Amino acid sequence: MTDRLNLAVIGVGRMGSVHVRNLIQRLPQANVVALCDIRLDVAQQMAGELGIREVVSDYRRLLADARVEAVLIAASTDVHAEMVAEAARAGKHIFCEKPLALDLPSIDAALAAVAAAGVKLQVGFNRRFDPSFQRVREIVASGAIGRPCILRIASRDPEPPSVAYARASGGMFLDMTIHDFDMARFMVGEVEEVYALGSVLVAPWLAEAGDVDTDVVTLRFANGALGVIDNSRQAVYGYDQRLEVFCSAGVAQADNQAVDTVVRGDASGMHAALPPRFFMQRYPETYVNELREFIDCVLHDKEPPVTGRDGRISVVMGYAAWKSWRENRPVKLTEI
Amino acid sequence: MTDRLNLAVIGVGRMGSVHVRNLIQRLPQANVVALCDIRLDVAQQMAGELGIREVVSDYRRLLADARVEAVLIAASTDVHAEMVAEAARAGKHIFCEKPLALDLPSIDAALAAVAAAGVKLQVGFNRRFDPSFQRVREIVASGAIGRPCILRIASRDPEPPSVAYARASGGMFLDMTIHDFDMARFMVGEVEEVYALGSVLVAPWLAEAGDVDTDVVTLRFANGALGVIDNSRQAVYGYDQRLEVFCSAGVAQADNQAVDTVVRGDASGMHAALPPRFFMQRYPETYVNELREFIDCVLHDKEPPVTGRDGRISVVMGYAAWKSWRENRPVKLTEI
Amino acid sequence: MTDRLNLAVIGVGRMGSVHVRNLIQRLPQANVVALCDIRLDVAQQMAGELGIREVVSDYRRLLADARVEAVLIAASTDVHAEMVAEAARAGKHIFCEKPLALDLPSIDAALAAVAAAGVKLQVGFNRRFDPSFQRVREIVASGAIGRPCILRIASRDPEPPSVAYARASGGMFLDMTIHDFDMARFMVGEVEEVYALGSVLVAPWLAEAGDVDTDVVTLRFANGALGVIDNSRQAVYGYDQRLEVFCSAGVAQADNQAVDTVVRGDASGMHAALPPRFFMQRYPETYVNELREFIDCVLHDKEPPVTGRDGRISVVMGYAAWKSWRENRPVKLTEI
Amino acid sequence: MTDRLNLAVIGVGRMGSVHVRNLIQRLPQANVVALCDIRLDVAQQMAGELGIREVVSDYRRLLADARVEAVLIAASTDVHAEMVAEAARAGKHIFCEKPLALDLPSIDAALAAVAAAGVKLQVGFNRRFDPSFQRVREIVASGAIGRPCILRIASRDPEPPSVAYARASGGMFLDMTIHDFDMARFMVGEVEEVYALGSVLVAPWLAEAGDVDTDVVTLRFANGALGVIDNSRQAVYGYDQRLEVFCSAGVAQADNQAVDTVVRGDASGMHAALPPRFFMQRYPETYVNELREFIDCVLHDKEPPVTGRDGRISVVMGYAAWKSWRENRPVKLTEI
């Protein structure tokens, strides 16, 4: 193993292009040897700008390339699991965007291939790499403020998606809450049961897709702690991402960070700035940090910080939430 | 009706003595004509200090006194309902501490007596009179930030009670969450269904009493909004009382107020003061404000801001929460 | 000496009436035996309301009354010094509102009488008794954050006064900054030299009175620390009272406290409440606390926390600031 | 003029290397054609890493290169002015780190050369490009909160420099306060007079260099507003950079931003994170923004946002502050 990791990136859409730039500009241990996208021209343009030599439209060519040690999969969700499985069989280490898939059989097949091949797989739950959330976890995990009792997460998007997006995404609990499910496990540990309330209050068109735009989901943790996540598709004041872990000897809270620190006072009140509207602005460092750790795990043969199992459980939780919502009762993860 | 209200106070323990002092020192429209307590010496000492002429140990003597226009009931919970009913039959207006009773038949009998007599009854849900919570409600009720979507209440006591207290109080949902149930209705409106999670995590002795010390309770409102309350009996950093109403066009949040505004910065961090530990320090003005409004309602024949029906519903919600907890399923208020 | 202090209050205008109510309602160790005001009817009405037996229009009658152990002087500034001197000669302990006088000879005569009589004198610099400022001082005085290096005070009134008020008050530095001069000494210690900048920027009518409405005053402390006070007569967002002591190993800051803790977020920003506009709302407890300490000092023969010397120095600093402003140069207090 | 600007960077030390990376990674309109450093190996290594073709040790070779349209001067202060003058004479546009020089004749000669050549010159006062400070300025400049009355700047470094650094830097007022002088002008306008207090309180070794480590400097603005800057070389809680513009109809404040948004509450208080310790972390975007604007000014023939005149005045203010400090009197800028 060299001291740089030869990577190919599959899918250079919104997330993929962020990753490519981070790899090249911020992560000297990464060597991007090729890009792949079914829209070959898009990939070619990016490669030209960034000085990447090889561009392909069929990812299997990358898997056949002996120089490629690892692949970063940022293609559309429906092909994640198949790509993971094939990459594993080709002996490539894998970083895959979340979710691994929207159905458990595909995930299980992909994880089996990864296990059989003994390659590394990291799933892109980037929020675990946010400095504030990491600090909260450190405080909680240190035991300095006692045992976790109550977890509260508020996670709200600025604007609702289209029906088409909602349909393809698996809906609220599998598209949006899935991040919070992962965060909940990151903060407090395994969850045994969920109960989900959901309504359509702000984006009536989502009702057509059988989706909701507002939810409150409770969590019963294996260690006895209780949790609650609330989500909305429409926080007009910006991307709202806060959490709190209330413990037996204290509390740790992570608040939003506004786009600037300015307060304007006048006769009508004290006015402060809003949080950013876009997730890239909210979480810029997380995308760098997660890849830095992935590269480090591959180069130094460590366990990735977000495993395939983590990727699977969050999907299980999403299904449990949907089942809970449909049946209006708490649902154990073991029911899924 | 004169322009001052002749009041007698029944029960001069912790809450009663606060009320007596507020009536005398802060509310010029009140005229405290008598105190009553089964511990006659306690009442006599307070009356002496404050220049109140009459002291009795049997509240029925006050009800027979024609000068007394209204009674403030701050005796122990188990006699509230009976006192309310008798006071109503004696034609007295009534301010009664919460809860009206721990059983619904007693409450119903008391409310029937009140209705029959046509007297005013106000229940002591003091938090409705907190300036910050009132401001949140004003903002929400104005419609300026759209329709309510998600209500979040964090309500945590600094220290757990004894087993004896827990047993007599009706337990967490009827003793502590009851305030938050009332607040939820004050902020967002009627609730149709609750689901309650509860654990014993910090005060193992409460398990003996069949009580919990930590809970998360979700609320389904009639208007489609969703809510969640979390409670703990042990917030080591003080009495934690926060809420947030997330709406379709904005959000309104009420935070804690620390005991001072000082921030100390040193090499280890920026350190701020804690919220007060005692509810009297947290809510001092609410006790004055609720009585001011009660007196105003009696003197000017208005509907009290917290009615007997409000007092009843909060108890129904407490029972629904206990039933939900025992059966681990959402419970409609109509089931109680 | 009994365990309650027999007090008479001279002057029941705005400040005097606050003191009378606090003495009666909040300070059980005080016994208000008489009120005095040249507007006898005003004093009589208040006495009637509060159950005070004796009312006089000539304060000398109080000084001749053997029952009176202490006087609280809240009459107009121009008679403070004479009243202090006479009260001292009559053997009464004295609480006097600030300033002692607007000229030093009067102050010196009064202080000499106090010294000769051996009575207690406390001056009404109430801000020293604000819990937040006291906490800052404790932190600084403890040495926990090192030695003081820079003191910053922002002290801004909500609305400018009339010309008449400005003329009678001694002007900005003697009327308004005087509080901050005292606070500076309370926080950091003795001041050797001041330099004052002042402008008329918001209330042009004050120029007629030779006054300013905006100032920045620097302080050179005897211990080497540096300080700066800024004042304005017009903070449209409310009564702005903040300070910060920057030390060699940390910092202690006291911020404003808003009238409520509510934050409203909408598409235009996060909006919080303003600080109160009136000094009574900002500093309510200070008026109780300063009298509690005064009574305690008299009853237990202790040094008052704000002495006649403190009262004198703040006036010296006011004169030094005016001199500095006129001559546009730093002025040593020894020049006054 | 092409749509990309061909730049050469002179000096690739701490600041220079930041600029080179920003030009290459963040500013697509920049084309870095060459690096120059008297330490040729340092420049060569950086050029290798970043794919820059040409490296020289003598900047005059760059000035003779027709491809080079603009130079970025980040060499040591003592050669700034000479390089500016020569670059101007060679017809190159110039971005120069602050200060232009530590003596006015050198600055004047350089500015004369720039004027004669008609090239663009921008000085590196990066803080003007901080989003929060820009927002404050926008608010103030809009007139929405009235006219500026009081400017307050707190600007404190985390750790004191060595004697050697202090000696070479021109001392506190020319090295550190110079940034705040520029900020003051950026916010409120031209300054007529300064008064400087300075002490050695935390870094006794600076006394040897005739320097101070703590200062308070007042400003008299031409428009009547008043200002105050305070500086310290040792803020143990981090790099402290705050300012406030108090106006006749409101206030605009920019606070520090902590390294994370976490608050930990326990029985001892609520504990928040510190601001970053390093200026690169505090102001990362400013270095990108200032170059983006410089490039834009050259490409589109606009006036640079920080001119040679701005660079000169801040040095004049530094000299005025030193003179004021030595003579303990206010000093007009016209005296320098």
Side-chain angles (χ1 to χ4, degrees), chain A residues 147 152 156 193 195 197 199 201 214 218 220 224 230 232 234 236-237 242 244 246 248-249 253 328 330, chain B residues 147 152 156 193 195 197 199 201 218 220 224 230 232 234 236-237 242 244 246 248-249 253 328 330:
Chain A
R147 66 180 287 188
R152 302 206 314 168
R156 303 168 189 161
E193 192 178 81
Y195 172 66
L197 287 164
S199 291
L201 298 175
T214 307
T218 65
R220 192 189 295 275
D230 73 69
S232 168
Q234 180 179 295
V236 301
Y237 52 88
R242 291 169 286 153
E244 170 175 331
F246 172 78
S248 57
Q253 304 166 320
N328 193 30
Chain B
R147 67 180 286 189
R152 303 206 314 168
R156 304 168 189 161
E193 193 178 81
Y195 172 64
L197 288 164
S199 290
L201 298 175
T218 65
R220 191 189 297 273
D230 74 68
S232 169
Q234 181 179 294
V236 301
Y237 52 88
R242 290 170 287 152
E244 171 174 328
F246 171 78
S248 57
Q253 304 166 321
N328 193 30

Side-chain angles (χ1 to χ4, degrees), chain C residues 147 152 156 193 195 197 199 201 218 220 224 230 232 234 236-237 242 244 246 248-249 253 328 330, chain D residues 147 152 156 193 195 197 199 201 214 218 220 224 230 232 234 236-237 242 244 246 248-249 253 328 330:
Chain C
R147 66 180 288 188
R152 304 206 312 169
R156 304 168 189 161
E193 194 178 78
Y195 171 66
L197 289 164
S199 292
L201 298 174
T218 64
R220 192 189 297 273
D230 74 68
S232 169
Q234 181 181 295
V236 301
Y237 52 88
R242 290 170 288 152
E244 171 174 330
F246 172 77
S248 57
Q253 305 165 322
N328 192 29
Chain D
R147 68 181 286 189
R152 305 204 312 168
R156 304 167 189 161
E193 192 179 81
Y195 172 66
L197 287 164
S199 291
L201 298 175
T214 307
T218 65
R220 192 188 297 274
D230 74 69
S232 169
Q234 182 180 296
V236 300
Y237 52 88
R242 288 170 289 153
E244 170 175 330
F246 172 78
S248 58
Q253 304 167 320
N328 193 31

Side-chain angles (χ1 to χ4, degrees), chain B residues 41-83:
Chain B
D41 55 330
V42 174
Q44 279 168 335
Q45 187 181 331
M46 172 168 287
E49 266 176 44
L50 296 168
I52 298 165
R53 302 274 167 78
E54 189 172 352
V55 177
V56 301
S57 64
D58 179 356
Y59 72 93
R60 291 184 180 87
R61 283 183 50 196
L62 298 178
L63 300 185
D65 183 337
R67 286 176 313 157
V68 173
E69 295 168 301
V71 292
L72 188 161
I73 300 172
S76 65
T77 295
D78 55 315
V79 293
H80 283 181
E82 189 186 349
M83 285 180 177

Side-chain angles (χ1 to χ4, degrees), chain C residues 81-104:
Chain C
E82 188 186 349
M83 285 180 178
V84 167
E86 290 195 43
R89 285 192 286 267
K92 309 303 187 196
H93 301 291
I94 305 155
F95 181 97
C96 184
E97 271 303 317
K98 64 116 262 209
L100 282 171
L102 290 176
D103 69 294
L104 290 175

